[in-house]
């Protein structure tokens, strides 16, 4: 058995999701506190995810081609340092749409894109003989999100939403330190067999043309995250309408993230009894049920409890998505495949969801957005079902 890296990789996932708890979960309340409208918030979020679309594949291709020369940990550190500069600028700024556009382009290209690199590092470890329990590591990330969402909510209620950005700076520094001490992948013992077709790095177009099942998986992930974002972006407003506050929003995020941990801990056991295809259908189903539970909640407590349906929702995607990519694309394309997966979900899907929900909220109201999120999520179930019937590869 190879070198054990579960503990340092757990720390890396923990550091990333602690940072993300502030940088992603509290985007809407921070922007609202600075005076941005629902449409502007939706537009800025769409710009951020559009930035992910633009930079994610560049990073994925660059990482694949330079895997032996430039360790992923160094790319993660560089992205995080850049994000810190613009986090400070965002903290000092007031309402300024032009500046906000620039800031959110950078956030998309750095904080959001770093996730694909963190996940890709796990694939490099597993493909090169390291001993890594990915799902436990991902469970640590969910626990970090749960805890730090509550912490950020408490900071917001006590000191104001904008001060959360100072906490984001602190967590960015911690994440950089963790990345710096994370072990690099040792490629020295790898045999040079690049003449084999399976070891060639393929283009994105090649993967999408020749792997129809993977393509349908990406489409389903896009729709699921689109529905998720429509349901989550203004959840804080629904909680406030039901009589809650930012701390209650943090508790809702805590329950959501805590519900992801059991699947992360037991995923290897679950996978022995259920195919990944079946698990992805279950994921889409429970994402829809969680969206419905949130949309139709009549009390703050009911809404918070509805987040527990995440137990079999995106928890399955977070634990199993990397393994699904590894099953569907050649080993040499796993970093690119992981980038495509994150691009489809946390790039294109959340971008489309942001554009829609910001406009729909200002035009038809909060509850229309919530109801629409349920309908969109339900389409994800259909796409996941169709994916299970598709051929894995075309000649």
């Amino acid at each position: 058995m190879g070198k054990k890296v579960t503990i340092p990789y757990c720390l890396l996932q923990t550091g990333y999701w602690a940072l993300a708890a502030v940088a992603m979960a509290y985007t809407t309340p921070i922007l609202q506190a600075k005076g941005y409208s629902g449409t502007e918030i939706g537009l800025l979020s769409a710009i951020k995810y559009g930035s992910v679309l633009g930079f994610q594949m560049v990073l994925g291709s660059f990482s694949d081609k330079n895997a032996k020369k430039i360790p992923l940990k160094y790319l993660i550190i560089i992205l995080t340092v850049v994000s810190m500069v613009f986090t400070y600028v965002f903290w000092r700024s007031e309402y300024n749409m032009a500046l906000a556009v620039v800031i959110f382009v950078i956030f998309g290209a750095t904080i959001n894109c770093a996730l694909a690199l963190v996940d890709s590092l796990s694939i490099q470890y597993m493909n090169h003989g390291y001993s890594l329990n990915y799902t436990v590591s991902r469970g640590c990330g969910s626990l970090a999100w749960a805890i730090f969402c509550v912490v950020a909510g408490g900071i917001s209620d006590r000191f104001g939403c904008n001060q959360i950005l100072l906490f984001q700076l602190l967590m960015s520094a911690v994440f950089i330190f963790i990345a710096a001490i994370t072990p690099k992948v040792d490629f020295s013992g790898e045999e040079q067999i690049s003449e084999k077709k399976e070891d060639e790095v393929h283009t994105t177009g090649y993967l999408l043309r020749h792997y129809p099942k993977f393509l349908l998986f990406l489409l389903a992930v896009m729709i699921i995250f689109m529905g998720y974002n429509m349901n989550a972006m203004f959840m804080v407003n629904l909680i406030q309408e039901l009589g809650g506050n930012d701390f209650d929003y943090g508790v809702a995020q805590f329950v959501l993230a805590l519900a992801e941990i059991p699947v992360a801990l037991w995923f290897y056991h679950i996978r022995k009894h259920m195919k990944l295809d079946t698990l992805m259908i279950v994921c889409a189903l429970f994402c829809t049920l969680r969206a419905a539970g949130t949309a139709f909640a009549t009390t703050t407590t009911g809404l918070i409890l509805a987040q527990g349906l995440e137990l079999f929702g995106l928890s399955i995607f977070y634990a199993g998505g990397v393994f699904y990519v590894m099953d569907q694309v050649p080993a040499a394309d796993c970093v690119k495949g992981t980038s495509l997966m994150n691009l489809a979900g946390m790039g294109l899907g959340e971008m489309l969801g942001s554009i829609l929900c910001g406009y729909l909220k200002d035009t038809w109201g909060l509850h229309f957005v919530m109801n629409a999120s349920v309908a969109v999520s339900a389409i994800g179930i259909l796409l996941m079902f169709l994916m299970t019937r598709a051929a894995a590869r075309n000649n």
Side-chain angles (χ1 to χ4, degrees):
M1 183 176 290
K3 182 179 178 181
K4 295 181 179 180
V5 292
T6 296
I7 292 177
Y9 189 73
C10 273
L11 290 174
L12 189 68
Q13 284 278 356
T14 299
Y16 178 80
W17 287 104
L19 166 60
V22 184
M24 297 180 187
Y26 282 86
T27 298
T28 297
I30 290 172
L31 287 171
Q32 287 177 332
K34 289 179 179 289
Y36 294 87
S37 68
T39 299
E40 289 171 329
I41 291 171
L43 179 60
L44 287 171
S45 294
I47 287 170
K48 178 176 72 172
Y49 295 119
S51 174
V52 176
L53 286 172
F55 286 95
Q56 188 77 82
M57 287 314 302
V58 175
L59 279 171
S61 296
F62 181 83
S63 301
D64 278 334
K65 293 176 180 178
N66 298 278
K68 298 178 184 179
K69 298 177 182 178
I70 306 176
L72 287 176
K73 59 183 276 183
Y74 294 148
L75 295 178
I76 291 168
I77 290 171
I78 291 170
L79 293 181
T80 308
V81 169
V82 174
S83 77
M84 288 182 71
V85 174
F86 285 86
T87 299
Y88 177 78
V89 173
F90 191 35
W91 174 66
R92 292 297 301 268
S93 71
E94 299 296 333
Y95 177 89
N96 186 327
M97 189 63 181
L99 178 60
V101 167
V102 175
I103 290 171
F104 274 71
V105 166
I106 299 300
F107 282 172
T110 55
I111 299 173
N112 287 71
C113 284
L115 174 59
L117 298 182
V118 171
D119 284 341
S120 296
L121 181 58
S122 71
I123 293 176
Q124 286 189 351
Y125 281 143
M126 289 185 282
N127 281 346
H128 291 84
Y130 288 76
S131 176
L132 169 65
N133 190 320
Y134 172 78
T135 57
V136 168
S137 302
R138 186 58 186 78
C140 290
S142 294
L143 181 61
W145 175 282
I147 293 172
F148 285 98
C149 275
V150 175
V151 172
I155 292 172
S156 176
D157 280 343
R158 184 169 182 179
F159 302 106
C161 271
N162 198 52
Q163 303 312 311
I164 295 176
L165 293 170
L166 291 178
F167 187 55
Q168 180 175 328
L169 284 171
L170 173 63
M171 297 317 302
S172 297
V174 172
F175 181 55
I176 289 171
F177 174 76
I178 294 172
I181 63 174
T182 299
K184 295 184 289 186
V185 177
D186 182 9
F187 292 93
S188 60
E190 187 178 76
E191 293 183 343
Q192 300 302 314
I193 51 174
S194 59
E195 68 273 7
K196 293 186 179 181
K197 187 175 180 179
E198 292 81 12
D199 298 309
E200 296 175 0
V201 176
H202 300 99
T203 65
T204 298
Y206 180 92
L207 294 178
L208 298 181
R209 286 195 309 272
H210 292 275
Y211 295 86
K213 189 171 185 177
F214 181 60
L215 174 60
L216 277 172
F217 172 68
L218 295 179
L219 289 174
V221 168
M222 180 191 75
I223 293 297
I224 288 170
F225 272 88
M226 179 179 171
Y228 176 85
N229 198 38
M230 291 175 67
N231 189 261
M233 178 167 284
F234 293 105
M235 184 193 294
V236 64
N237 296 113
L238 184 58
I239 288 174
Q240 291 167 351
E241 185 179 290
L242 294 172
N245 54 26
D246 285 348
F247 182 77
D248 293 317
Y249 173 68
V251 173
Q253 292 294 324
F254 175 85
V255 172
L256 185 146
L258 208 64
E260 296 173 356
I261 296 175
V263 167
L265 296 177
W266 292 94
F267 184 77
Y268 288 108
H269 179 74
I270 294 170
R271 191 180 175 187
K272 292 178 182 177
H273 299 279
M274 295 182 72
K275 295 180 179 179
L276 279 175
D277 282 354
T278 304
L279 286 171
M280 290 303 162
I281 294 175
V282 172
C283 166
L285 173 62
F286 273 80
C287 282
T288 304
L289 292 175
R290 191 204 61 79
T294 302
F296 304 137
T298 56
T299 64
T300 301
T301 301
L303 186 150
I304 290 172
L305 292 176
Q307 308 316 303
L309 290 167
E310 182 77 352
L311 178 64
F312 297 111
L314 285 179
S315 61
I316 292 175
F317 171 81
Y318 292 138
V322 167
F323 296 104
Y324 204 85
V325 171
M326 293 174 70
D327 282 352
Q328 296 301 320
V329 303
D333 296 305
C334 280
V335 173
K336 185 185 279 89
T338 304
S339 294
L340 281 169
M341 179 181 69
N342 285 290
L343 188 70
M346 286 163 270
L348 186 57
E350 297 208 10
M351 182 186 75
L352 293 174
S354 298
I355 293 171
L356 270 178
C357 67
Y359 172 76
L360 293 178
K361 178 178 179 291
D362 284 350
T363 305
W364 284 292
L366 177 61
H367 290 281
F368 186 90
V369 174
M370 290 294 177
N371 294 340
S373 73
V374 180
V376 171
S377 298
I379 297 173
I381 302 174
L382 175 62
L383 287 173
M384 281 296 188
F385 179 78
L386 293 175
M387 175 203 71
T388 64
R389 300 295 186 266
R393 178 173 180 175
N394 289 333
N395 292 327

